[in-house]
Amino acid sequence: MAPPMTCTSVRTLTTFFTLLTTAINRQSPADLQSPTTLQDGSQYDFIIVGAGAAGCILANRLTERRDWSVLLIEAGGEEPTEADVPAYIPYTWNTRMDWGYRTQPQSTACGGGPCNWTRGKVLGGSTVLHALIYNRGNRLDYDEWEKIGNIGWGYKHVLPYFKKSENNMDREFAENKKYHSTGGYQSIGRFPYKDANVDALLQGFNEIGYRNVDINADKMTGVMLMQTVHRNGERQSSNKAFLEPIRANRPNLKVVTNVRVTKILIDPQTKKTFGVEYASEFQRNYRGKAFARKEVIVSGGTINSPQLLMLSGIGPQEILRPLGIPVIQNLKVGSNLQDHVSTTTLRYILDYRTSTEVTDQEMIRNLELYNQTRRSGPLTATGPSQVTAFTNSRYGNRHIDYPDIQYLFRSANSPTCSTNVLKPVCYYSSFAPTPVVARPKSRGYITINTTDPFSPPLIYANYFSDRRDMDVLVDSLNEITKLANTNCFKNLGIRLDTTPVPGCERFRFATDEYWQCAVTRDTATYFHYAGTCKMGPLQDRDAVVDTQLKVRGINGLRVIDASVMPTVVTGTILAPVMMIAEKGADLIKNDWK
């Protein structure tokens, strides 16, 4: 008889969850203010709007010029130490660090309701909330950018900028000097801890025909124990990597938190950008202006950047004029929205041999192990999320290394250990393979219906508006069920959960009709939003910025973040955004020699 599975008690998890989220949210509005204040009418050479992955890098690189003054404005607050723990990912969502966006409902996704779109509202942006994955994308992504007219953005041009940020701590990879480097600000490496299921996933993919690869080097199709943005068992956000080392010793950098930029100031006659208007997040009647002698750089991300441009008179005239916003530049701001759509509909259940559920006492010991040592134990990792695999669906081109599916994994509960209370991702009794449509065909858009800068924009994800995305996702679900028949999974008692998704019982499990039904109910995202301020050549009428990342027709204004991607890359987008910021900083330096 098998020993019973151990489950963490609901009472302990509830207490832990309450204490942790209280700690993350505990700071009062007064405590959240930066040590510095923003004086109305102050002047800087550059103003950067948004301190996410791109904004933190830009602030670092531009202040390398000691004769340049830089203002970095962030709507969120300081990064809490609780976010450092890799396994605490779920606890950062729906807190004061999350914009908490919701898409407009659509009948073909998320069960017919809104989809949750988590976005970081904190120093470091979404790098404080995400799963720490470092994945550069495929070389053909960037060659395609260049092929459509974005000269200078081919893979050979962008690879040096990936390497510029990198401090690779894995000797196995760091020795490959062609693709990796050391000495950059961003530490990258594999987690110091992995459980038996991580090895099982790697071996399972090997059994069904995929070899181990370095997805950030010369081969992407295959499986990998991922590299992540951590250092010594702690999350290293862009704030920790790029801002903390310089913030106290560069007097030419000013960082202001809990201040929202409400408008970009542009002379309508000359179309010259000269500053921003801002308001306090806590005292919205407190407003002011800051002036830029050289440029304003918008790095608010795929959702916030187009919203700010439209509020400032840059966007589709058919949207702006009915709202009474004077049109300074008629551009397709907000269109071309892309996201890596996924699903959590499939699940593998573990038995007592590989379940990582623990007793209350073990949970406390693991916390002590993390706090009292040099960061060791289960909390230093993210369970099955450490593994990724890139494969081709039957719709992909198997003759080239350009996979159209990425498999990621989320820890979950089984009915034996069911609880609605969030837990650290290292404790789980089942896991969900979440296939990602790596290069989606569907396009959504972001728009506004008010001039209130504190009102969220309207997000139309339009998942599966192109049927090909559903076809790829269904085929990927058929592929991932093959793991159930591997010797590795069978020997460890890892079995496929064939319980039908509620509402899809009329279809036979694992048929295409069943998957289509299940996907529309259990739609998921990994928050890889891109494309709403598209980069393109002069002849591209849909482009918002040029290859220098300058907003078309506007002087002194650039957008540098994921929104400039013409097409979302194959894989997660943190590393590509870092690359865009590194390259963007050099473009600015070259313009202002």
Side-chain angles (χ1 to χ4, degrees):
M1 180 178 178
M5 184 181 293
T6 301
C7 299
T8 311
S9 72
V10 173
R11 180 178 179 181
T12 297
L13 283 171
T14 303
T15 303
F16 179 76
F17 172 75
T18 302
L19 290 173
L20 186 58
T21 52
T22 300
I24 290 174
N25 286 314
R26 68 177 178 269
Q27 296 159 298
S28 68
D31 295 330
L32 288 173
Q33 299 291 342
S34 290
T36 57
T37 56
L38 187 56
Q39 183 177 355
D40 186 18
S42 54
Q43 294 188 17
Y44 303 86
D45 290 307
F46 297 92
I47 297 175
I48 303 169
V49 182
C56 291
I57 291 174
L58 289 164
N60 181 306
R61 297 306 187 188
L62 295 183
T63 54
E64 290 175 340
R65 281 282 304 267
R66 297 305 174 102
D67 57 327
W68 285 353
S69 59
V70 175
L71 170 64
L72 177 62
I73 304 179
E74 168 57 39
E78 298 288 338
E79 179 180 358
T81 57
E82 289 79 9
D84 293 347
V85 186
Y88 285 1
I89 295 169
Y91 298 106
T92 60
W93 301 351
N94 299 313
T95 65
R96 55 101 173 165
M97 298 189 296
D98 184 359
W99 284 94
Y101 287 127
R102 303 289 184 269
T103 65
Q104 296 300 301
Q106 62 175 105
S107 60
T108 56
C110 298
C115 308
N116 296 330
W117 275 27
T118 293
R119 292 296 300 158
K121 186 182 180 185
V122 60
L123 276 184
S126 296
T127 69
V128 182
L129 282 67
H130 75 350
L132 294 84
I133 298 169
Y134 182 82
N135 173 197
R136 294 176 177 174
N138 191 287
R139 66 172 62 235
L140 296 179
D141 295 327
Y142 306 104
D143 289 344
E144 181 63 25
W145 288 8
E146 187 163 57
K147 184 178 178 181
I148 63 176
N150 294 295
I151 306 303
W153 289 89
Y155 184 71
K156 67 180 181 181
H157 302 292
V158 302
L159 178 58
Y161 289 106
F162 283 115
K163 294 169 66 176
K164 184 176 182 178
S165 297
E166 184 179 21
N167 178 34
N168 201 300
M169 300 180 296
D170 282 332
R171 180 176 297 179
E172 174 188 345
F173 300 118
E175 290 177 349
N176 186 348
K177 301 297 183 183
K178 181 177 179 179
Y179 294 102
H180 296 290
S181 64
T182 56
Y185 281 95
Q186 184 71 67
S187 294
I188 297 165
R190 288 171 290 192
F191 287 128
Y193 180 90
K194 60 177 179 175
D195 57 49
N197 300 301
V198 171
D199 285 329
L201 279 168
L202 294 170
Q203 294 171 25
F205 273 103
N206 292 160
E207 278 195 53
I208 62 175
Y210 298 98
R211 66 184 182 91
N212 296 336
V213 295
D214 175 3
I215 60 175
N216 295 318
D218 60 343
K219 183 72 172 176
M220 175 173 265
T221 305
V223 64
M224 183 184 187
L225 179 61
M226 280 192 289
Q227 296 204 306
T228 56
V229 287
H230 84 279
R231 184 176 181 84
N232 299 328
E234 292 185 355
R235 175 191 296 272
Q236 194 183 39
S237 67
S238 292
N239 171 48
K240 293 287 180 68
F242 290 91
L243 274 190
E244 282 195 359
I246 66 164
R247 194 170 170 184
N249 53 35
R250 289 192 188 172
N252 57 333
L253 172 63
K254 190 178 188 83
V255 180
V256 178
T257 58
N258 299 292
V259 171
R260 185 181 304 211
V261 172
T262 57
K263 185 179 181 180
I264 304 164
L265 299 174
I266 306 168
D267 186 316
Q269 302 302 319
T270 64
K271 297 192 177 182
K272 173 71 172 71
T273 305
F274 60 91
V276 299
E277 290 182 357
Y278 60 83
S280 167
E281 283 288 309
F282 304 116
Q283 298 175 344
R284 296 182 182 180
N285 59 344
Y286 171 73
R287 297 174 180 260
K289 296 179 181 180
F291 299 104
R293 287 183 284 262
K294 289 184 168 63
E295 294 187 21
V296 171
I297 305 162
V298 179
S299 297
T302 297
I303 301 173
N304 296 74
S305 288
Q307 179 190 25
L308 179 58
L309 290 181
M310 285 187 274
L311 290 171
S312 307
I314 302 171
Q317 59 185 10
E318 64 272 19
I319 299 298
L320 305 187
R321 282 178 177 162
L323 295 174
I325 300 174
V327 180
I328 297 176
Q329 191 72 8
N330 179 25
L331 295 173
K332 290 193 175 180
V333 173
S335 63
N336 193 47
L337 174 63
Q338 300 157 60
D339 182 30
H340 286 143
V341 67
S342 181
T343 180
T344 56
T345 190
L346 189 63
R347 195 167 54 168
Y348 279 96
I349 298 177
L350 311 176
D351 72 5
Y352 70 95
R353 286 169 286 183
T354 56
S355 170
T356 64
E357 291 279 358
V358 295
T359 63
D360 298 354
Q361 293 75 21
E362 288 175 296
M363 188 175 178
I364 294 170
R365 278 199 298 271
N366 286 339
L367 186 58
E368 291 173 346
L369 186 65
Y370 184 87
N371 288 330
Q372 296 174 5
T373 67
R374 289 177 58 86
R375 301 299 187 243
S376 60
L379 293 173
T380 62
T382 57
S385 298
Q386 300 175 66
V387 178
T388 192
F390 284 91
T391 72
N392 264 304
S393 73
R394 58 178 172 167
Y395 306 100
N397 186 348
R398 298 174 186 268
H399 300 293
I400 58 176
D401 182 34
Y402 203 23
D404 62 347
I405 298 171
Q406 180 180 16
Y407 290 105
L408 296 166
F409 299 86
R410 294 184 181 181
S411 56
N413 302 321
S414 71
T416 310
C417 296
S418 60
T419 172
N420 291 323
V421 181
L422 290 174
K423 63 180 69 176
V425 295
C426 58
Y427 304 130
Y428 59 100
S429 48
S430 69
F431 61 80
T434 53
V436 173
V437 180
R439 288 186 299 283
K441 305 296 183 183
S442 301
R443 297 290 184 269
Y445 64 95
I446 288 174
T447 189
I448 57 174
N449 63 353
T450 175
T451 58
D452 180 7
F454 286 91
S455 181
L458 304 179
I459 304 169
Y460 293 86
N462 286 355
Y463 291 136
F464 310 119
S465 55
D466 191 308
R467 175 60 188 232
R468 288 174 291 181
D469 294 343
M470 176 64 79
D471 291 340
V472 169
L473 203 51
V474 167
D475 193 63
S476 69
L477 288 164
N478 288 326
E479 178 75 5
I480 200 65
T481 58
K482 293 179 181 178
L483 290 176
N485 296 320
T486 61
N487 292 328
C488 174
F489 273 43
K490 289 179 178 178
N491 293 338
L492 290 173
I494 302 174
R495 60 185 178 85
L496 190 64
D497 184 1
T498 58
T499 306
V501 171
C504 301
E505 297 89 348
R506 65 187 183 279
F507 301 111
R508 185 164 59 87
F509 182 82
T511 61
D512 286 0
E513 294 78 11
Y514 173 81
W515 292 135
Q516 291 165 10
C517 175
V519 165
T520 60
R521 285 161 172 75
D522 286 342
T523 317
T525 174
Y526 274 90
F527 319 119
H528 302 160
Y529 326 121
T532 51
C533 298
K534 180 186 179 184
M535 174 175 62
L538 184 62
Q539 62 269 27
D540 185 349
R541 295 183 178 181
D542 294 335
V544 175
V545 301
D546 62 18
T547 56
Q548 303 294 302
L549 307 181
K550 297 177 180 178
V551 175
R552 282 187 169 186
I554 305 294
N555 297 318
L557 180 63
R558 298 188 207 232
V559 178
I560 303 180
D561 55 33
S563 70
V564 305
M565 294 183 184
T567 52
V568 68
V569 298
T570 305
T572 58
I573 66 170
L574 167 61
V577 171
M578 293 170 63
M579 175 276 292
I580 291 169
E582 290 280 21
K583 184 173 172 67
D586 270 5
L587 293 174
I588 294 169
K589 289 178 177 179
N590 289 335
D591 272 0
W592 296 95
K593 292 179 181 178

